[in-house]
Amino acid sequence: MQDELRKLKGENIRLRSQLDDLLRSSGQAPTLDDSTTDEVAVAPSPQKIVDQDPEENEKILEIIKEVEEANKKVNKGKKKARVAQKKDERKATSTPKVKAEKKAAPKVKAEKKATPKVKAAKKATPKVKAEKK
């Protein structure tokens, strides 16, 4: 982006000097304002600006509100269906048979992993054998 900007500025300077040379050769003296300004003339936009009716804005807002309300109703229905489905799943898993299976299943505990500090501490401590009496 910076490179493009530098290139455009350089091209702008080159074209201005070329314009000055052409004006001098034709007998017209370049004006100070023409050669030193960096402002770009804004061309009129090709699109027409259409006047809007104030009532049209209100109608658009009403339509948007109606659509949002309809979406809320649909979302509420979907949410109720999801809640009902979750309740059904909970009921299915809370039957006595399922509960008995859960109790019967052995629980596996995760192995404890020694951290590097713990490993270093274990290596540093000497092992003492119990003396026989």
Side-chain angles (χ1 to χ4, degrees):
M1 183 78 172
Q2 295 289 340
D3 292 338
E4 291 176 14
L5 186 59
R6 273 188 252 126
K7 288 177 183 177
L8 288 173
K9 284 183 179 180
E11 185 178 356
N12 189 12
I13 292 169
R14 184 182 56 82
L15 291 173
R16 283 180 191 249
S17 64
Q18 191 177 19
L19 178 64
D20 290 342
D21 293 341
L22 289 173
L23 289 175
R24 283 189 197 124
S25 66
S26 67
Q28 296 178 352
T31 61
L32 185 62
D33 293 336
D34 290 340
S35 63
T36 59
T37 58
D38 286 336
E39 296 178 15
V40 177
V42 178
S45 69
Q47 299 174 350
K48 290 183 180 179
I49 298 175
V50 180
D51 292 332
Q52 291 185 346
D53 185 21
E55 293 177 8
E56 185 177 341
N57 289 338
E58 291 175 11
K59 291 176 185 177
I60 292 171
L61 290 174
E62 289 177 17
I63 292 171
I64 291 173
K65 286 179 183 178
E66 290 174 4
V67 169
E68 287 178 349
E69 288 175 7
N71 286 339
K72 284 181 184 178
K73 289 179 183 177
V74 169
N75 289 338
K76 283 183 182 179
K78 288 180 181 179
K79 186 175 181 180
K80 286 181 181 179
R82 282 193 303 251
V83 169
Q85 184 181 8
K86 286 182 181 180
K87 283 183 181 179
D88 292 342
E89 288 174 0
R90 281 191 224 130
K91 285 181 183 178
T93 59
S94 66
T95 60
K97 185 178 180 181
V98 173
K99 285 183 180 178
E101 288 174 0
K102 284 184 180 178
K103 286 182 181 178
K107 294 183 180 179
V108 179
K109 292 186 178 180
E111 294 180 22
K112 293 184 180 178
K113 295 183 180 179
T115 62
K117 288 183 180 179
V118 173
K119 287 181 183 178
K122 284 184 181 179
K123 288 181 183 178
T125 57
K127 294 183 181 180
V128 179
K129 293 185 180 179
E131 294 181 17
K132 294 183 183 179
K133 290 186 180 183

